[in-house]
């Protein structure tokens, strides 16, 4: 099971708190205290592949920032690509709706909009007035999901497009767990996290982990050629098994 986990997640996985706690049974403490461990060498790309699906995460605010993060994934790639991050204070609901439409135009593969539903009245107003298919994100268990997303970051399963995600990267570099809160993980209240939250909403809804590897060249599954290959291999395995059985039970006729 450990070998499979390392194969699926990469060698960097063995250094993550998740691996140390779940597989090695050790008490792993993150000395840095950061909520998200972004590494430019691991998590930045200069170009995006052809993305087929995507999600936009939206965190609403007025005195605080309203933040928007766009993520996407390719058909045969389990990597989640963060394409764009943006935030601004003092946005009205009409401004937010206009920004959503703008980003959907720039990133047409985005079909799902995840929004913080704390201001439910505002969200419902945007849904009805602007005909936006907004979905409310679940707020429970936030620290657990941060923990999981951070593992994806450490293992290189989340990549950010260089030059498009500065607001998000800046927050990640400074966002720490509150050392004064005991017995549970809570983000430091004095550190901005609106871009990070919008990215978390998008990450939670993304389905990049369901991507299947590209099929090897050869006959398509269930085709006549594939069936012939299957039965040829099955017959060969049966002949090998029969040969092993005959060798095991062989009796010398002269004995």
């Amino acid at each position: 099971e450990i070998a499979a986990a390392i194969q699926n997640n990469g060698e960097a996985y063995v250094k993550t708190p998740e691996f140390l706690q779940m597989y090695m049974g050790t008490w792993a403490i993150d000395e840095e205290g950061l909520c998200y461990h972004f590494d430019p060498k691991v998590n930045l790309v200069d170009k995006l592949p052809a993305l087929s699906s995507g999600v936009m995460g939206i965190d609403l605010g007025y005195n605080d920032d309203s933040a928007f993060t766009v993520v996407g994934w390719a058909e045969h790639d389990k990597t989640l690509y963060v394409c764009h991050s943006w935030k601004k204070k003092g946005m009205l609901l009409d401004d937010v709706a206009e920004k959503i439409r703008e980003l959907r135009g720039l990133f047409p593969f985005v079909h799902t909009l995840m929004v913080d539903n704390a201001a439910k009245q505002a969200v419902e107003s945007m849904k009805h007035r602007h005909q936006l298919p907004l979905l409310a994100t679940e707020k429970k268990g936030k620290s657990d999901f941060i923990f999981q997303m951070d593992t994806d970051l450490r293992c290189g399963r989340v990549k950010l497009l260089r030059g498009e995600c500065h607001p998000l990267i800046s927050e990640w570099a400074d966002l720490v767990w509150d050392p004064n809160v005991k017995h549970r993980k809570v983000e430091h209240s004095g550190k901005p996290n609106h871009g990070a939250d919008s990215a978390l909403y998008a990450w939670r809804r993304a389905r990049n982990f369901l991507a299947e590897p590209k099929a090897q060249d050869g006959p398509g599954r269930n085709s006549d050629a594939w069936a012939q290959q299957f039965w040829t291999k099955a017959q060969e395995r049966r002949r090998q098994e029969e040969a092993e059985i005959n060798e095991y039970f062989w009796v010398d006729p002269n004995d």
Side-chain angles (χ1 to χ4, degrees), residues 243-255:
E244 291 172 1
I245 292 171
N246 291 337
E247 182 179 359
Y248 183 80
F249 289 106
W250 182 79
V251 177
D252 189 341
N254 298 320
D255 188 354

Side-chain angles (χ1 to χ4, degrees), residues 129-140:
R129 180 173 178 175
H130 295 281
Q131 297 298 300
L132 293 172
L134 299 169
L135 297 177
T137 189
E138 176 59 59
K139 300 288 284 187
K140 294 180 181 178

